[in-house]
Structure formats: structure tokens, C-alpha cells
Amino acid sequence: MERRWFLFLAFLGCSCLLSLPQSVLPSYIAYNTTAGIVPGKINVHLVPHTHDDVGWLKTVDQYFVGANNSIRGLVCVQNVLDSVVSALLDDPNRKFIYVEMAFFQRWWRQQSPVKMKRVKELVKNGQLEFINGGMCMHDEATSHYIDLIDQTTLGHRFIKDVFNQVPRVGWQIDPFGHSAAQAYLLGAELGFDSLFFARIDYQDRAKRLKDKTLEVIWRGSKSLGASSQIFTGIFPKHYDPPDGFVFELNDVAPPIQDDILMFDYNVKQRVDDFVAAAMAQANVTRTNHIMWTMGSDFKYQYAVSWFRQMDKFIHYVNMDGRVNALYSTPSMYTDAKNAANEQWPVKTDDFFPYADHPNAYWTGYFTSRPALKGYVRFMSAYYMVARQLEFYKGRNSAGPNTDALADALALIQHHDAISGTERRHVAADYALRISLGYLEAEKLVASALSFLLKPKEEPKSPDISVTFEQCPLLNISHCPPSETALSQGKSLMVVVYNPLGWEREDVIRIPVSNNKVVVRDSGEKEVESQILPVSTISSRLKQLYVKAYLGISASESSMYWLAFPVSVPPLGFGTYFISIASKTDEEPSSIISTVSNSNENASDPVEIGQGNLKLLYHPGVGKRTQYFNSQTMVKVDAMLSYGYYSGNDGTDKDPQASGAYVFRPNNTYTIKTDDQAYLTVVRGPIIEEVHQQLNSWISQITRIYRGKDHAEVEYTIGPIPIDDGIGKEVISKITTSLKTNATFYTDSNGRDFIKRIRNYRNDWELEVNQPIAGNYYPVNLGMFVEDDTMELSVLVDRSVGGTSLIDGQIELMLHRRLIHDDLRGVGEVLNETVCVPEKCEGLTIQGKYYFRIDPKGGGARWRRTVGQEIYSPLLLAFSEQDGDGWLAPPVMNFTGMDPSYSLPGNIALITLQELKNSKVLLRLAHLYEVEEDKEYSTMSSVELKKLFFGRKISEVTEMSLSANQERYAMEKRKLKWKVEGASDEPEMKRGRPVDPADMVVELAPMEIRTFLVGFHYPQIYDF
Ligand SMILES: [Zn+2]
């Protein structure tokens, strides 16, 4: 060595070369990566991971193949999986976790048999572990629990089928706040031993860091309590590694340079950095185990760049000996935490809302892209129906089937999909996938109904086959079969299918072109019906949106809505016939509604409602609308109003604008209250409506059905004007005089209701910076407020944001159109438009919410049972009369159950699906929480023999929620945890195991039970 180099190294303080004997030249170093847990030391669990969004700035397929790379960089999930697998094969001590099955499935089907075999070995020996394991890492605010169960089941069953593995850990690292249903249902009930994530309120995090309470035992359900608790770990900062330890190709962290023949030898420095970062984290963590999440968004494009550094750190850090570093997984980490025998703090309720900054509450996304959110809810219900009908017909693997719809609905549960925080072209990609899935499911539904209408003794008889059409755009009065059949003088058959396990009385509405019609039931008995006008706004929407979505011009002939009551058996259908009143002497059964307008000089109050419920409108400013139920004798003022928040543009001291994620209002504007707007009153025997135009872009129809004790509000909002340079977030409020003491309740993914107190958090002393945005919560099913005597409840038809900023009031955010990006990565403004060839305009949405006021204690029954009916609307299928006379099909009513049987009113059938292996997946859900309703918050039971009437059950196996393991095995290996201040936990009640003799399933409040059911064939339908 030349003297000048020697001096230079000495100057740098490097004595490495000096200590080497001349004969040992630096060469290959065999890094010792075998480390396991060392008792008594700080153990740094290095968890290599990648966070791969199943669509966000790019579509899922673009991310997978690495296309469209002009958008934010070179990310390609194929590269990740290819390079991770080869890096794992290089060293058996290396580990990796993979989360998103949508990507993994894409990759897996392209692999050679040899590669598949190797990957199976990696999974078997624990080097590659699937955690979370759903198709995507789902959103927790704007998603419905039934969708979450379905998307998780799809991923888990893939993992089980291909790898015979059962994921043990929930890994929701990126979603923007965390729900109670995630913890107890999509966590504990899946058999997960732990749940990890990053994003909680910045104030909450600060306190937890101080108190060492980032790791807790979370009991998300007050009904199921400790029986569905889960160990939950919140990362100290985010889900990437500590600063200075990110080793993606384009990152700046200094790699370990340990070749003494090169410059910048830095082993000691890097080991010191590692130990310092580990000690800092150990200081905020209980036990001597800490986890480093070694990865981040789309990392491991070239996996060796990470593994090389981790190999070296494990080697040198463990030689140093101050702390112990090891390759690990969240499962190993969880086991280590469990073995530490620590007592953990208990967490109840949830982690909403999420703020990462004083002015940045991520509560805007509860409403962002409301049309997409509505579409998902509609299709989710359709998917449930389609699977039921597929079961009754018998699954045909050649199709059509529900697989494509299942896949599309799973993808859109992703936390940048249904949340509305993806780019516009990505939102369009999700919607396209759903619509393609729908088209196939629609064929299945039509063929299943046609099959069920055939006489079973002559199943092959072709001449009585009925073809069905359905109307997915019925909400905007577009329904070609009902519009054209009658206009051509033909009769129309309507099959009405009820996916719920109890009989339903409801009113259906279909667009028709003739106002003199006769409706008959399957016994040829005339059914009362009513003709209502289609509003001008609906007609305009129909023309524009049919053109935009279908590329065709909608018929202008349907001038009327025809409404009539239907009665449908559980899990079955009824059939109705509509014909034009004959020219001769036949009287139409349809009663034409009267329409009247109020005007400025009107002074008399207007009352609507033919049944128990009445709304009284008093003309004149300041006089509120009254709500009166003659049965419950509830009489109270209830005023509906609309307004908007102007979205902050981020030009004040804080550059935080309102955007796709963040709601940061600037000012509040009231548009109009319903006592200030003119009324158009539509009266009739079945439905009464008040139409109001609140301004040029907001209108509403308040609708009361004779047989229903709630009001239905159909709102039409848009295009929201932005030509004044102001983004707007549109709200609707119901204001009453209830003294609600700053308290309100919102649901968790459509499941448990959680108590919210304005400007208050259970877990820390809240510093209020955003008194509006910081009080918003996700609403999927509904919300309610109560005082000593009454409760006001609202149910929604899609997920929205909701709050109660003033006592007695419920506020829902229904639509948002913004003109600034909120700097959380999407890089696009939330400005949705709809385009036809001639023009684009801001998106108009039409949706519904429902409200009702009950005596205190009486609202749960409506929220739960009617809530389930709103989630699962009746399915309508139409068939035209063929030829002159109506050839009635021989089977006009159907129920899949024992005709004398009905599920209890507190139990819903949430899955009935024939699997590829011909087993049937069955899920039953108790809809009530403990203490919610005197009669319904009780143990209830379902008789499987009657549910599967006419089929002989051969076996019933209770499974975990995602049906990937037997329930008893899951319970047996569940980890036990100790909690702080543990007094004896009351034993939570659950249904007893199913006795094969009586086959009765018991369900305790909030319990969901999942079964695989086998049948002896042939079935009753010998096809
Ligand atoms: Zn993400």
C-alpha cells in the first residue's frame, strides 16, 4: 500500500486495514443471517415488506406490468415478486411478507410449474408469508362489512387452496383510520392473532408514544367483548423503515460499505446508527421486541438492494451485540409479544377520524366520489342476490357465473378505490370491471329465474322458457322493457325476488309510457297501483346519463312512474303482470296521482302521508316542518335543509386545501331550508311526495309510503358550480329540537353503532383545531341521536360522511366537487364530470336517505331490520308478453325455504353461495347489538333443515369468517393475552356448536357464523 493512502485512512480514523494480517486479503464475507430471538436483548424484528396499492395513480394492471410509467415513476409489481422470490431462494434465512392477493394471483398464473414448486417451498418453510391475505388492503371507513368479508374470503380461499396456508396477521398499514369492525370482525373472527397499522390521529399518536400505549388489546365490539379481541400494534411513525434505512435503488440511505479495499468503509457508523434507531424505538415500546417495517409503497423493485443491506446489518449488529437484529415476520413478532407475558392496555371504539396535521382531517373521503360509492353498494347487493340464485339453479362452471363480479367488487374495496382517492382513469377502470362483472351476473340471474319458473317435472320443456331483462339504471327511470312493452300494447311480467330470509311487503316503482294500466298478481287478482309523474329533473338526468354511460339515446316515452305494493316470500319471488287497460270496458287499476303546487301566497299547511306517518309543511319562513306519527304519537319539528362548505384553497398560512382525502372547510353556506322552498305535492293512495327545488342544482323529493313509518328523501345534487372559483362540499341536515347533549352514534362498516361525542375523544384530551371536519365520521348504514324521550335515526343508501354539530341535528355530506389537490399523493383535483360527445359537465348524483323519529328505545328495530332491507333491495326482472295471449309460466311464486318458515327478524342471511367444490358457503348474521332492542337483542336461532328445504344436508362444518379453517381449530390455537387492570371478564355469550341431529344454528347479538354445508344429491330439483 502506498504510504499516502495509508495516511489518508489513518486520518479518517479507520483502523480496519491495520488490524488485518497481511496474508488475509478482504474477500467474500459469509454474512451470518441466522439470528433468532435472543432473550434479554432488544430484538429488532426486520420485516421485509412492500405496500402495493391495488390501483391508485395507475390501474391495478398498469401497476402490475409497469405500464403508464409517466405517472410517478417506475413501479412494476411483477418486478417486486420476481426479484423477491429469487432473493429468498438465495438465502433461506431471508423472509418476506406479501399482502395483496389481487397482485399475487396475477403473478402466480404466469409462473412455470418449476417456479410454482419453489414458491410453494418458500411459503411452506416460512420464508414467504401471506398476511392480511384479502384481494386488497381494504378501506375501513367507506366499505360495508359484507363486502369486506367477501373480498377477504376470496383471497383467503386462494391461499388455502394453493398453499394450504391460513394468514395469521391483519396488516392494514395504509388505510386512513381504522374501524371497530376491522378489529373484531375482519380480525379476530378471521382467526388473526394480531393487527398492525400506521395511520392514527397525530394527537393520539403523541400520547401513545409518551405512554407506551402503541400496542393494545382492541375490543371492537361491545356485544362480543373479549371473545373477539385482537392484539393491535400501531407503528411509531409510519410503515416505512426508520430514517436512513430505506434501500430502494433510488433512495439516499448510505449502504453498509464493508470492503476495506474501497473508500468510505462505514460499518461502525452504520451499526451505531442502527443501535441508536433501535433504542429510540425501544424507548416507546413495551417488551424488548420492536418491529422495523423494512419497505414501503411498491418497494423491492430490485429486492437484493434491500436484502443485501439487511444481511449485513444482521451480521454486523449482532457481532456488535448491543441489540439483536433478525429477519422476522409480523407473526413471529406477535408470538414474541405474546410470550413476553406483558399486560396490555385495552382499546375500545375505533380510530376515526384520522388527522395527520392540525388542519388535515381525512374526513372528506367519507364522501368523495359518491356515485362510485353508490354503485358499489348497489352491486354488492346484486352480487348477494346473484349468488343465491346461482345456488338455487346450480353452479355452472362454464358460466355465466358471479366470479368476475366478485373479483371486481373485491378490488374496489381497496383503500384508494371505494375511498374515492384514486385518479379519475383508475376510478373508471374499477367501474368498468364492475359493469363487466355485472353483465355476466345479469345473464346468470336471468337464466336462474327462467329455470326456477319452469315446472320441475318437465325441466327441459323449451316452449315455456321465459327470457328476462333487468334494469340497472332504474334509478334514473331508464328501463327499456317496462317502457317499450306497454307502449307496444304488450303485457309485462315482473318477477320480484327477495334476498332476505323474511317475507317482505314493499312498493316497487317502474317507468311506464301509459297511465292507464292494470296490475295483477300471480293469482290474477288486481293490485292497487298508482301513477306518479317523472320529474323534469329525472328526465334530464335520464337523457344525459344514458347517453354518457350506454352511448345511446334514451326513450322519451316513459312519462310516468307506476308504483304498486308487492308481497314477496323469503328467499324467493313473486310474479306480477302489468297490462294496458283494454280499450273496451276494462277500468285501469292505476290511480293517477294529483299534483298541486304551492305558491308564494299559500297560507294553509300542507300535510302528506296516508298512513301513520305524516309530514306537515307550514308555509312561511321560520315555520318548521312537523313530523307526526299517529301510532307512536311522536310529534316534533323536523326541518330539512341543504348547504355547502367552501373548500379551503390552501392559500392561507397553512397550504392545506380541501381535497379527495382531506375535508378542510373555509366557510359554511346555507342554501335553503325546506320551509323556504315551494312545494309540488303529489298525492295518491300508496305514495305521497313533496318535490322541492332548493336551488338551480339541488332538488329533493320527500316521499312517504302508506305502509312505512319513515320518510324517504331522494336528493339530486349537481352539477355543482365551480365557475366562482370555489370548490363545494354539499351537505343536507335534519334539524329537530331533541336535546342530544353533544352525543351521536355512527355505524362501523354497517355493523356496530359507536358513540361519538362532539369535540371529544375517549383516548386523549382533544385539542380542537377543526371543529367541523374533526367531528365527521364515516356512515355506512346510518346514524342516530337521542334524548330522554325520542331518537332521530337516519339510514343511507351508500357510504357518506356524517356528524351532529348542533344538538338535535344530523348532518350528512352528500357530494363534493373541489378544485385543489390536498397534497396527499393523488395529485389530481376531485372534480368529477360526466361527458357526452357534445360537452362535459360536473357530475350530478341522485341518492336517498331515510329518516324516522321514534320514542326512545324504539329506533333500533327500524335501523337494523329496515337497514337490512335498504342494503338488499328487491330484485326486479322483466319479461314481455310473447304473442297475443299471455302464456303464464306454471311456477309463479318461489321460496327456497320451507314455505312455512321464515328467518327471525334479527337474523340476516349474508352469504349463500355454491363453491367450485359444490359445497355451499353459508353465513348468518345477527343484526342487533346487546341491549339495543328488548326483543331482538337476544339469542336467536335458524333451522338449517327448513332453510335448505327439500335438500338433504350431509354435513355442516363451522368455519372461520373467511371459511379457510374450521372454527374449532381456530379457537384452539388462538393466543391468549393479558390486559391491564384485568378484572374477570364476563363470559360473552355465543351460539352453541351445531348439533348434527337438529341442525339448529344459534346466534348471539352481533354474532356472524360461517358454515360449509354439504348435501346429499340428488336434490329436490332433479336437473
Ligand atoms: Zn396504500
Side-chain angles (χ1 to χ4, degrees):
M1 179 179 289
E2 283 186 42
R3 183 179 159 76
R4 61 195 171 102
W5 284 114
F6 189 88
L7 285 174
F8 184 62
L9 284 172
F11 175 72
L12 286 177
C14 176
S15 59
C16 36
L17 266 186
L18 297 173
S19 61
L20 282 175
Q22 282 295 314
S23 57
V24 182
L25 284 173
S27 62
Y28 171 71
I29 302 170
Y31 299 111
N32 179 2
T33 56
T34 58
I37 287 166
V38 175
K41 278 194 179 176
I42 299 294
N43 287 275
V44 185
H45 293 250
L46 300 179
V47 173
H49 80 105
T50 179
H51 173 67
D52 299 343
D53 289 306
V54 179
W56 180 36
L57 308 180
K58 309 206 280 190
T59 68
V60 55
D61 290 347
Q62 289 169 349
Y63 274 132
F64 181 72
V65 300
N68 207 356
N69 268 346
S70 60
I71 297 174
R72 195 87 68 75
L74 309 163
V75 296
C76 166
V77 175
Q78 277 184 114
N79 286 349
V80 173
L81 287 163
D82 283 342
S83 68
V84 161
V85 165
S86 72
L88 293 178
L89 291 168
D90 282 349
D91 178 349
N93 298 311
R94 291 174 176 169
K95 295 186 191 304
F96 197 78
I97 53 171
Y98 203 73
V99 175
E100 296 87 4
M101 288 306 111
F103 283 127
F104 191 84
Q105 284 183 357
R106 279 166 169 72
W107 183 80
W108 181 251
R109 65 181 178 234
Q110 297 177 358
Q111 302 308 305
S112 69
V114 174
K115 181 66 90 53
M116 284 183 170
K117 190 160 171 277
R118 284 190 187 149
V119 172
K120 282 187 175 175
E121 279 158 16
L122 290 175
V123 173
K124 199 167 163 207
N125 71 20
Q127 279 188 268
L128 177 61
E129 183 177 330
F130 297 112
I131 65 171
N132 228 26
M135 298 298 282
C136 64
M137 184 183 292
H138 51 225
D139 178 53
E140 296 180 36
T142 65
S143 47
H144 194 276
Y145 76 94
I146 295 178
D147 290 334
L148 298 185
I149 294 171
D150 285 337
Q151 88 88 9
T152 306
T153 301
L154 215 53
H156 280 196
R157 289 191 61 83
F158 167 80
I159 295 168
K160 179 71 180 172
D161 290 348
V162 177
F163 299 98
N164 197 28
Q165 293 288 317
V166 172
R168 288 186 54 201
V169 172
W171 189 254
Q172 289 287 111
I173 59 176
D174 197 23
F176 327 132
H178 301 281
S179 72
Q182 176 64 35
Y184 87 86
L185 190 62
L186 280 307
E189 297 289 315
L190 291 169
F192 285 174
D193 285 316
S194 55
L195 167 64
F196 295 93
F197 49 76
R199 295 186 187 273
I200 64 166
D201 185 286
Y202 71 102
Q203 296 179 24
D204 192 10
R205 187 191 305 280
K207 177 155 191 292
R208 290 178 184 280
L209 282 165
K210 209 164 90 214
D211 300 349
K212 283 196 182 185
T213 53
L214 283 166
E215 291 174 327
V216 296
I217 297 297
W218 188 358
R219 293 176 181 164
S221 167
K222 70 170 185 277
S223 302
L224 297 169
S227 77
S228 63
Q229 66 186 17
I230 188 163
F231 176 81
T232 302
I234 303 151
F235 303 143
K237 199 169 168 195
H238 201 47
Y239 55 77
D240 36 15
D243 290 345
F245 296 90
V246 179
F247 297 109
E248 196 68 11
L249 288 179
N250 54 357
D251 272 297
V252 296
I256 292 187
Q257 204 297 83
D258 58 349
D259 184 336
I260 52 172
L261 292 185
M262 299 195 294
F263 286 4
D264 305 327
Y265 183 93
N266 64 1
V267 172
K268 182 169 186 312
Q269 181 58 47
R270 293 305 281 146
V271 168
D272 286 348
D273 294 343
F274 189 101
V275 173
M279 295 313 293
Q281 190 169 336
N283 281 337
V284 296
T285 312
R286 298 188 188 192
T287 79
N288 58 5
H289 294 277
I290 61 171
M291 189 202 300
W292 283 15
T293 46
M294 300 302 291
S296 187
D297 296 8
F298 298 100
K299 301 298 190 212
Y300 292 72
Q301 298 290 326
Y302 177 63
V304 172
S305 70
W306 286 85
F307 282 113
R308 182 190 291 129
Q309 297 307 317
M310 286 186 285
D311 287 351
K312 292 184 183 189
F313 274 111
I314 291 170
H315 179 80
Y316 290 113
V317 164
N318 294 347
M319 277 171 66
D320 172 273
R322 281 173 286 172
V323 301
N324 178 57
L326 67 151
Y327 276 123
S328 184
T329 66
S331 311
M332 288 172 62
Y333 179 76
T334 303
D335 288 338
K337 288 283 174 181
N338 186 258
N341 222 11
E342 177 80 18
Q343 292 189 338
W344 303 96
V346 171
K347 159 79 181 168
T348 56
D349 63 54
D350 63 5
F351 291 92
F352 285 116
Y354 164 59
D356 61 357
H357 182 271
N359 293 323
Y361 279 84
W362 295 42
T363 52
Y365 83 95
F366 300 159
T367 301
S368 297
R369 299 194 186 278
L372 189 66
K373 286 178 163 81
Y375 188 44
V376 172
R377 183 65 59 87
F378 178 75
M379 285 300 171
S380 165
Y382 193 83
Y383 175 46
M384 183 192 277
V385 172
R387 280 178 292 172
Q388 290 181 4
L389 287 168
E390 184 175 42
F391 165 70
Y392 288 123
K393 175 173 183 278
R395 183 185 163 91
N396 180 354
S397 51
N401 58 44
T402 54
D403 295 354
L405 183 57
D407 200 59
L409 283 171
L411 284 184
I412 202 164
Q413 306 308 319
H414 169 58
H415 58 271
D416 284 307
I418 192 163
S419 55
T421 56
E422 68 280 56
R423 286 207 174 167
R424 182 183 307 186
H425 77 106
V426 181
D429 181 78
Y430 292 121
L432 176 63
R433 287 168 193 276
I434 293 174
S435 68
L436 293 174
Y438 168 79
L439 288 177
E440 191 176 342
E442 188 185 46
K443 285 187 206 134
L444 163 72
V445 165
S447 69
L449 289 174
S450 179
F451 170 83
L452 293 170
L453 282 163
K454 285 183 184 176
K456 295 303 164 258
E457 54 280 8
E458 295 175 64
K460 299 209 165 58
S461 152
D463 45 337
I464 46 169
S465 173
V466 181
T467 42
F468 283 105
E469 290 180 78
Q470 292 153 70
C471 295
L473 296 180
L474 192 63
N475 63 328
I476 53 167
S477 75
H478 178 64
C479 184
S482 77
E483 294 171 60
T484 54
L486 295 170
S487 68
Q488 292 164 5
K490 292 180 175 175
S491 294
L492 185 72
M493 176 167 77
V494 188
V495 168
V496 184
Y497 180 80
N498 169 21
L500 298 183
W502 55 77
E503 185 179 350
R504 276 165 83 174
E505 311 281 333
D506 209 335
V507 172
I508 62 169
R509 296 191 311 141
I510 54 175
V512 291
S513 49
N514 192 311
N515 64 3
K516 293 189 177 60
V517 299
V518 181
V519 181
R520 291 191 176 84
D521 65 13
S522 55
E524 296 197 25
K525 201 167 138 259
E526 231 178 75
V527 176
E528 182 181 28
S529 63
Q530 183 182 344
I531 294 284
L532 297 98
V534 172
S535 69
T536 336
I537 290 160
S538 288
S539 300
R540 190 192 89 81
L541 278 182
K542 174 180 169 179
Q543 295 307 323
L544 178 64
Y545 282 76
V546 167
K547 189 85 177 281
Y549 291 162
L550 304 180
I552 56 168
S553 295
S555 115
E556 295 189 26
S557 61
S558 66
M559 305 291 293
Y560 315 102
W561 284 107
L562 168 68
F564 57 94
V566 294
S567 172
V568 196
L571 292 177
F573 58 74
T575 309
Y576 292 84
F577 298 91
I578 303 166
S579 52
I580 295 176
S582 65
K583 297 97 205 164
T584 52
D585 57 347
E586 191 175 25
E587 282 292 312
S589 71
S590 55
I591 294 169
I592 298 172
S593 310
T594 62
V595 179
S596 57
N597 291 303
S598 74
N599 56 42
E600 273 178 68
N601 304 320
S603 56
D604 294 336
V606 173
E607 179 185 290
I608 64 160
Q610 293 275 349
N612 295 330
L613 173 62
K614 298 191 189 314
L615 291 182
L616 282 80
Y617 292 83
H618 298 274
V621 176
K623 293 195 175 161
R624 293 184 162 187
T625 308
Q626 278 185 313
Y627 176 105
F628 174 59
N629 185 312
S630 59
Q631 193 181 35
T632 60
M633 295 311 286
V634 164
K635 187 168 192 174
V636 62
D637 288 353
M639 183 179 71
L640 266 60
S641 60
Y642 288 82
Y644 67 86
Y645 297 105
S646 54
N648 197 300
D649 61 6
T651 55
D652 64 1
K653 277 178 284 178
D654 184 344
Q656 181 61 59
S658 217
Y661 306 83
V662 172
F663 170 35
R664 189 185 177 204
N666 207 7
N667 275 308
T668 311
Y669 300 89
T670 297
I671 290 170
K672 212 169 251 182
T673 56
D674 61 355
D675 60 314
Q676 295 169 329
Y678 296 140
L679 316 176
T680 298
V681 182
V682 177
R683 293 185 185 282
I686 301 165
I687 298 175
E688 296 204 332
E689 295 179 341
V690 168
H691 296 225
Q692 288 174 298
Q693 185 80 40
L694 285 308
N695 69 6
S696 61
W697 47 276
I698 299 180
S699 63
Q700 72 168 14
I701 299 174
T702 308
R703 194 171 283 137
I704 302 201
Y705 296 86
R706 185 180 55 201
K708 297 183 184 184
D709 285 4
H710 64 251
E712 174 180 300
V713 179
E714 181 179 290
Y715 54 84
T716 305
I717 302 174
I720 300 175
I722 48 170
D723 45 11
D724 54 1
I726 296 171
K728 298 177 184 64
E729 321 197 33
V730 182
I731 52 159
S732 183
K733 293 191 269 199
I734 303 175
T735 306
T736 68
S737 53
L738 269 66
K739 295 172 184 62
T740 53
N741 198 22
T743 304
F744 55 107
Y745 299 80
T746 61
D747 67 274
S748 178
N749 303 111
R751 205 70 186 133
D752 309 53
F753 277 97
I754 301 195
K755 183 177 184 175
R756 315 296 188 183
I757 299 173
R758 206 153 57 233
N759 296 330
Y760 176 85
R761 303 289 188 267
N762 270 339
D763 292 351
W764 78 95
E765 192 91 27
L766 178 69
E767 184 191 320
V768 178
N769 296 302
Q770 286 287 324
I772 297 168
N775 284 309
Y776 255 78
Y777 291 87
V779 176
N780 281 283
L781 168 64
M783 58 184 289
F784 67 97
V785 292
E786 62 184 8
D787 68 7
D788 293 340
T789 58
M790 281 184 283
E791 49 191 281
L792 161 67
S793 313
V794 169
L795 296 172
V796 294
D797 69 346
R798 71 196 66 197
S799 72
V800 297
T803 186
S804 174
L805 296 177
I806 295 172
D807 278 0
Q809 191 180 76
I810 283 179
E811 171 176 319
L812 302 172
M813 186 179 290
L814 301 174
H815 198 359
R816 320 176 72 215
R817 189 179 188 193
L818 296 165
I819 53 175
H820 297 280
D821 178 46
D822 53 5
L823 309 176
R824 291 302 182 282
V826 71
E828 198 179 77
V829 297
L830 184 73
N831 176 9
E832 292 186 277
T833 53
V834 59
C835 296
V836 289
E838 309 83 59
K839 59 164 185 176
C840 290
E841 66 173 45
L843 179 77
T844 298
I845 55 153
Q846 190 176 73
K848 288 177 187 166
Y849 65 82
Y850 310 80
F851 73 94
R852 171 169 161 137
I853 304 168
D854 285 287
K856 186 166 185 196
R861 188 74 66 93
W862 181 70
R863 292 190 295 270
R864 294 297 185 181
T865 305
V866 173
Q868 196 63 23
E869 294 184 359
I870 291 168
Y871 174 80
S872 272
L874 296 168
L875 176 132
L876 307 183
F878 304 88
S879 187
E880 275 180 28
Q881 174 197 28
D882 198 11
D884 287 342
W886 180 261
L887 180 60
V891 178
M892 288 189 285
N893 293 292
F894 166 83
T895 173
M897 309 200 318
D898 182 330
S900 66
Y901 188 60
S902 165
L903 292 193
N906 52 3
I907 305 291
L909 174 77
I910 60 168
T911 316
L912 177 61
Q913 178 180 9
E914 184 175 340
L915 302 174
K916 284 175 186 154
N917 62 8
S918 82
K919 287 269 176 62
V920 170
L921 179 61
L922 170 73
R923 263 190 210 99
L924 296 162
H926 197 300
L927 296 174
Y928 287 69
E929 295 180 66
V930 288
E931 294 162 12
E932 226 182 345
D933 184 85
K934 279 195 193 77
E935 186 189 334
Y936 276 167
S937 292
T938 50
M939 187 75 80
S940 210
S941 57
V942 171
E943 296 181 52
L944 295 188
K945 287 178 184 171
K946 290 185 175 170
L947 178 62
F948 293 109
F949 183 65
R951 296 172 193 244
K952 198 147 185 262
I953 298 170
S954 60
E955 55 175 323
V956 176
T957 312
E958 179 154 21
M959 305 296 287
S960 64
L961 186 69
S962 62
N964 65 348
Q965 57 186 321
E966 291 194 23
R967 175 98 198 178
Y968 91 93
M970 173 188 123
E971 294 287 354
K972 217 165 96 186
R973 58 155 196 75
K974 208 178 218 176
L975 298 178
K976 309 267 182 300
W977 299 91
K978 290 184 182 163
V979 297
E980 279 179 349
S983 50
D984 283 342
E985 287 301 324
E987 185 74 18
M988 302 315 289
K989 277 211 183 88
R990 284 181 180 259
R992 64 185 165 87
V994 175
D995 179 344
D998 64 8
M999 298 219 181
V1000 170
V1001 178
E1002 285 183 347
L1003 294 111
M1006 278 291 113
E1007 201 177 11
I1008 295 181
R1009 297 181 72 178
T1010 304
F1011 300 92
L1012 286 180
V1013 184
F1015 295 96
H1016 290 295
Y1017 290 90
Q1019 305 160 355
I1020 186 174
Y1021 310 125
D1022 190 12
F1023 44 88

